[in-house]
Amino acid sequence: MPSFDRNTPSSHTASGTAGQQDALRVGIICPYSFETPGGVQNHIRDFARQLRRRGHEVQVFAPGRRTADMPQYVHTSNSSFAIPYNGSWAHLSYFLNAGHTTRKWVRDGGFDILHLHEPETPSLSHKPLVMHDAPPMVATFHASIEPYPRALRLFTRYLRNYLSPLREAIFVSESAQKTAEHYLPQQVGIQTIPNGIECDFYRRAEPNPQWQGSPEAPTIGFLGRMGEARKGFTVFAQAAKIVHEAFPSARFLVAGDGQEDGEKTLDAIGADKGLRKCFEFLGRVSDADKARFYRSLSMYVAPQTGGESFGIVLAEAMAAGCPVIASDLDAFRAVTEEGSSAALFVNRDANDCARRMTELIEDPARRQSLSQAGSIRSQSFDWNTVVDEVLEVYAKALS
């Protein structure tokens, strides 16, 4: 782990704007291990990359152990444990020497500003809040949990006091704000800034001919962990069964972990051999192949049933120009501007999802219209805009 001389004069300009700020030393703490993929980890990785491109010095600290594919600026605590959280499994680090290790990393870093992600979570990002010698701290809140859980309700007063050292808070969506407002101290400045994507990366990706659909054989895509109920693969499979009866040449491409779980789901819905032949499980795909995946599809379906605070997959697919069908979660309604840039269906309703798929298969003009609307909407989430807004928050915290 590199260390920095704390006696070196700070290089930031507290009063600078996002475009004028001098190079900053930024420490970012992630509550979840980078050993397993996740939206928060990917957001932090990409945000750190964007800051470094602008000349800022960035280091990231996370639970778990290093793997060969981790960026060099990511440091780890060398320990983690898994707990069920918000419909998924979170790999955290909290006990034994986790606090000492985290606070030492902060002190050795000599950071101008410390950016904590989900500090309400019992993990590493919770630990610096007791420091008397910490740099100015801001936090990003990602989680959207409705209804507000009893466990958090019990700790509301504790969290409100514990989070008081924060100077500024960022919510990735209004859904995340509704959750965090329960325990965030009133004196902390707040701002909603969405997750970021690199729009050009998705727009310029080349379609994969093996995945590309045609008017006679459209390809309909799903991306997510099939063993995680809230990702909605069961809804997708049930809708696919209905669509297959009317359009037997349609293909269903599935990217993500959990093929065995996906096969079990097909068993559970009574999929016949004809439908099974139309399903293709691609496994976990690289970022480059994910972009090609979106670019190759006739339409992308996001059937998540809950626990989503933003909807990064929608933004990515829209940036690639892929028509999107999504459940009508609050977070997805916000990303798609109440369905103006995607076709929404009633959450958990496979029949309604199938109806939307059928409509788009039968209406090429509607697909083209959604493609154009989604491409325009995705610009709101481009990293250039998002980083500028976060740097403005940093400037407030440093002033």
Side-chain angles (χ1 to χ4, degrees):
M1 179 189 308
S3 61
F4 305 103
D5 182 2
R6 285 197 65 87
N7 294 321
T8 302
S10 174
S11 59
H12 72 260
T13 302
S15 60
T17 64
Q20 299 170 332
Q21 228 169 17
D22 294 334
L24 292 169
R25 296 176 181 175
V26 181
I28 301 175
I29 300 184
C30 178
Y32 310 126
S33 171
F34 273 72
E35 295 172 274
T36 54
V40 174
Q41 298 94 310
N42 292 342
H43 170 87
I44 290 172
R45 178 201 63 190
D46 294 344
F47 175 64
R49 185 182 297 157
Q50 294 294 327
L51 283 182
R52 291 169 70 89
R53 285 178 181 174
R54 296 192 182 203
H56 300 287
E57 189 166 6
V58 184
Q59 303 293 321
V60 176
F61 195 55
R65 294 168 178 80
R66 280 200 60 82
T67 58
D69 59 344
M70 284 185 193
Q72 288 300 309
Y73 55 81
V74 175
H75 311 287
T76 62
S77 66
N78 293 320
S79 67
S80 66
F81 62 94
I83 64 167
Y85 178 70
N86 197 20
S88 182
W89 283 88
H91 294 261
L92 315 174
S93 182
Y94 187 77
F95 302 106
L96 300 176
N97 67 339
H100 171 76
T101 303
T102 304
R103 290 186 285 270
K104 183 178 186 303
W105 180 83
V106 172
R107 292 188 181 101
D108 289 347
F111 302 115
D112 294 313
I113 196 158
L114 190 61
H115 193 156
L116 312 176
H117 285 259
E118 298 205 310
E120 80 284 8
T121 302
S123 192
L124 301 183
S125 49
H126 198 69
K127 300 298 186 179
L129 291 161
V130 298
M131 296 176 66
H132 298 296
D133 55 348
M137 290 183 284
V138 304
T140 293
F141 294 88
H142 298 260
S144 173
I145 312 175
E146 291 295 337
Y148 190 64
R150 183 178 179 184
L152 274 177
R153 206 176 293 276
L154 291 173
F155 287 96
T156 295
R157 182 176 296 179
Y158 161 78
L159 286 172
R160 194 169 291 143
N161 179 65
Y162 201 86
L163 296 172
S164 60
L166 295 175
R167 296 195 180 183
E168 298 288 333
I170 297 168
F171 309 115
V172 300
S173 66
E174 291 183 3
S175 298
Q177 181 173 347
K178 288 179 182 177
T179 297
E181 280 181 340
H182 286 277
Y183 45 76
L184 190 69
Q186 290 186 348
Q187 74 272 16
V188 178
I190 61 173
Q191 186 167 347
T192 300
I193 302 176
N195 288 324
I197 59 171
E198 196 166 346
C199 288
D200 284 346
F201 175 75
Y202 293 98
R203 186 180 302 110
R204 294 174 180 172
E206 291 292 331
N208 183 335
Q210 295 179 347
W211 299 339
Q212 202 160 15
S214 67
E216 299 76 26
T219 51
I220 303 171
F222 169 93
L223 187 152
R225 295 182 289 275
M226 284 158 273
E228 199 169 303
R230 71 186 180 96
K231 296 301 180 183
F233 181 74
T234 297
V235 175
F236 179 80
Q238 290 171 333
K241 183 179 180 182
I242 297 169
V243 170
H244 176 70
E245 293 175 359
F247 302 94
S249 60
R251 297 166 58 208
F252 304 95
L253 306 184
V254 181
D257 292 333
Q259 179 173 343
E260 184 176 343
D261 294 306
E263 297 282 4
K264 289 179 180 177
T265 299
L266 293 180
D267 288 338
I269 68 168
D272 59 21
K273 290 183 179 180
L275 178 59
R276 286 179 177 276
K277 287 182 179 179
C278 293
F279 266 82
E280 183 175 351
F281 294 94
L282 306 177
R284 188 185 299 184
V285 294
S286 66
D287 287 344
D289 278 340
K290 180 171 65 171
R292 299 185 73 191
F293 173 74
Y294 293 132
R295 289 280 290 159
S296 305
L297 297 174
S298 304
M299 64 195 76
Y300 174 75
V301 180
Q304 284 86 334
T305 61
E308 300 292 330
S309 63
F310 179 67
I312 194 71
V313 289
L314 275 67
E316 293 170 346
M318 291 190 295
C322 180
V324 171
I325 298 171
S327 57
D328 61 354
L329 299 176
D330 287 346
F332 290 179
R333 296 180 74 93
V335 169
T336 64
E337 294 183 301
E338 298 299 319
S340 64
S341 52
L344 301 181
F345 67 91
V346 177
N347 185 24
R348 301 177 186 269
D349 189 334
N351 290 303
D352 200 36
C353 180
R355 181 174 65 86
R356 290 300 193 188
M357 291 184 192
T358 300
E359 288 174 352
L360 292 193
I361 291 173
E362 295 177 336
D363 192 346
R366 173 65 172 155
R367 292 204 305 271
Q368 181 63 24
S369 174
L370 286 179
S371 173
Q372 293 175 348
S375 181
I376 294 170
R377 173 59 174 160
S378 69
Q379 292 296 321
S380 302
F381 313 118
D382 189 75
W383 272 121
N384 287 326
T385 300
V386 171
V387 171
D388 282 348
E389 292 178 353
V390 175
L391 287 175
E392 292 285 359
V393 173
Y394 286 2
K396 290 179 183 177
L398 291 166
S399 64

